[in-house]
Amino acid sequence: MIEDITRRAETVAEMAPSSSVTTAVLAGHASRFSAHPPLNDPPLTYLDGAEAPAYLLTNGKRGIGRGTKRKTESPVGDRRTVIMVTGRRTLCLIGKDEDDEVIEVPHESVADVTTKTGFRAHRLALRTPRKMYHCWVHRKTDTETLEAAAEFIENHQQETPDAIDGDDTANRVMYRGRPVAPQDTPEETDSDQTTYYRGQPIDDGD
């Protein structure tokens, strides 16, 4: 079973357009910047059918901020967060003691994509019609990879973001295989974020 996953991870990594997608992370052997297995299950096992990541990002303790940067779902112990950007969604996997937590944001539900770089961590922020998702990224991730991932998501957006059937927050949030009820949370903005439209960064004039 482990060998099968590793072989499949090798194939997926070879086909990915970005070197950020590695066999070690996909197969669950290590994080990009840590030797510890990031999750309970290999990230590859969370993909559907022929789905494959174009970009793969990780972080240690910061996790994923929902609504605000401070309201985060964080990994435990030596676990990590793995963020896979595929052709149809951004899939955030947060390592827990037993069952990893899954936060899924379909591209058609994204209204805006922004990036921010910082000394301690970088960030990929996805805004849906009602909520912002702050995907923290390890500070060693190069800026080009972060910006390319944002552009990839932007290129898969719709002009009018669609709501998911039965979920008026326009995103799916899953925990232990069940959807999490939506929460109305005040959103934050950053004046020094990079905003993309049609693949080009927008100068806000600040």
Side-chain angles (χ1 to χ4, degrees), residues 24-25 28-39 77-80 82:
V25 180
H29 301 322
S31 297
R32 287 193 66 204
F33 304 104
S34 169
H36 294 287
L39 309 169
D78 291 329
R79 299 299 185 190
R80 298 291 186 266
V82 176

Side-chain angles (χ1 to χ4, degrees), residues 69 114-118 121-125 146 190 192-194:
K69 290 177 290 184
T114 55
T115 65
K116 186 177 186 299
T117 57
H122 303 329
R123 182 157 43 90
L124 175 69
L146 185 63
D190 291 296
D192 55 350
Q193 295 182 119
T194 300

Side-chain angles (χ1 to χ4, degrees), residues 3 9 11 20 52 74 95-97 106 118 122 136 157 170 174 180-181 197 199:
E3 291 181 356
T11 301
S20 64
S74 301
K96 297 293 185 179
D97 283 326
H122 303 329
W136 293 99
Q157 286 179 243
M174 308 294 291
V180 175
Y197 181 71

